[in-house]
Structure formats: C-alpha cells, structure tokens
Amino acid sequence: TQALRQAHNRLEVLEAIRSNFGLNFRIIDGQEEANLTRLGVEFALNRSNIESKSYLLMDLGGGSLELTCKDGLNIFSQSFPFGIVTLVEAHQRRESFQKALESKLKSLQMQTHSWPKASTLIATAGTPTTLAAYLKGLDYHHYDANQVTGTKLSKIQCDEALESLLKLPQNERE
C-alpha cells in the first residue's frame, strides 16, 4: 500500500491492473489503512472470543507502519511511512539498520507519549506473520495461515529467531 502511495507512476500501475485484470483499485491513505486493519483484527479477535477492549496494534508491513492504540472507546491511530523493507534497503548492515530502527522507535515514542497504556500487543502484516511462520518451521511453499494466526510470541522467541536468521547465509535468509 505504501509503495503505491509513494510511487510516481501509481496511476499507470493502477491502469495496467485495470486493463489487464479488470480490477479497479483505490489507493488509501495511512489513516484509512490503520482503521481497516483495526476492524479486521477486531473481527478476528471477536471470532476467537479474545477480549478486544484494550490493545496496541502494530501493522508492520514492507513500506509502512500503522500503530493503533485502543483503550475502551478511545482509539488513537497513526501511520508512519517506513516499514521493514524500506529500513533494510536503506541500511543493509545490521549495525546501521539497528541504529535506524532505534531512531525511528524513539521518534515514535515521542509522538505517542500521550497514548494510553495497552494491555496487549497485537502484530499483523508480513513481518510478524513471517516471523511466526519461521518459528513454526513453515516456509513459503508450506505456509498455513491457520497455524500462524493467533500465534503468541515472547520477546525471547523473537530474539532467538533473529539470532538464528543472522547465522544463515544471505540467500537462505531471504
């Protein structure tokens, strides 16, 4: 979504999709993306009988990050024009990437300091989904959304996955 928001040729891309496949798309802004993601996640939580009154929702995609904090009826959302792919492409070396990510997180902390505290962190989109699949031993050809959806991850598991991935050669990591 963010890639099309930023692309200079977005209208040509949309026209090519329409003419080749007969599909019409509308590029949405980050706020609408955050709201639609929130609605989808709340539907999934309710379907699974999981309480959804208070949470922090992180939609970490390739080109953008949408954060939504819900506390009862209060909902705060913000979209940021960076994601895991844009950060990695801009900072190929691990140290450089880590510093860039820490800088972005500090920036977010300053921008979100007035947000209420959330009782649960929910992560969605490609990055957390890929991490959950990796930790379950699934690869691209054997991906099973039913095994991944609803996965609970600890910080320790995330750290272990990072260390495991960093030990792989670049081509296997990709």
Side-chain angles (χ1 to χ4, degrees):
T1 309
Q2 183 65 21
L4 277 176
R5 283 195 286 261
Q6 292 180 325
H8 297 292
N9 66 338
R10 61 186 161 271
L11 297 178
E12 291 89 355
V13 170
L14 292 176
E15 177 55 30
I17 293 170
R18 191 200 60 72
S19 64
N20 288 316
F21 303 102
L23 300 172
N24 291 308
F25 283 96
R26 176 178 60 89
I27 299 172
I28 60 175
D29 64 23
Q31 188 63 43
E32 186 172 356
E33 183 177 0
N35 288 333
L36 292 172
T37 301
R38 176 184 60 80
L39 291 172
V41 166
E42 285 188 2
F43 178 82
L45 291 172
N46 291 332
R47 185 183 60 212
S48 300
N49 293 318
I50 298 172
E51 186 275 319
S52 63
K53 291 180 183 163
S54 173
Y55 60 77
L56 174 63
L57 171 59
M58 176 181 73
D59 178 357
L60 179 57
S64 67
L65 166 68
E66 283 73 39
L67 291 178
T68 299
C69 185
K70 181 177 179 184
D71 182 28
L73 297 177
N74 298 314
I75 300 171
F76 306 89
S77 292
Q78 189 161 356
S79 179
F80 302 91
F82 64 86
I84 197 71
V85 172
T86 54
L87 282 172
V88 168
E89 285 177 350
H91 307 280
Q92 287 294 319
R93 294 186 40 225
R94 180 179 180 194
E95 299 81 21
S96 177
F97 172 76
Q98 193 165 359
K99 286 180 184 175
L101 184 58
E102 287 172 0
S103 172
K104 295 286 188 187
L105 291 174
K106 284 180 185 172
S107 170
L108 292 179
Q109 216 171 15
M110 291 186 333
Q111 294 177 47
T112 60
H113 71 278
S114 63
W115 288 19
K117 298 287 185 215
S119 61
T120 303
L121 171 65
I122 301 168
T124 189
T127 304
T129 300
T130 300
L131 178 59
Y134 175 76
L135 289 169
K136 291 181 175 288
L138 303 172
D139 62 21
Y140 182 80
H141 301 289
H142 301 95
Y143 179 80
D144 181 359
N146 292 322
Q147 288 187 50
V148 173
T149 301
T151 298
K152 293 182 181 181
L153 299 175
S154 68
K155 183 181 181 318
I156 292 171
Q157 288 175 302
C158 294
D159 290 341
E160 289 172 355
L162 175 62
E163 291 306 314
S164 171
L165 286 166
L166 290 174
K167 291 177 185 173
L168 294 175
Q170 183 69 25
N171 63 326
E172 288 183 43
R173 200 178 317 151
E174 290 174 358

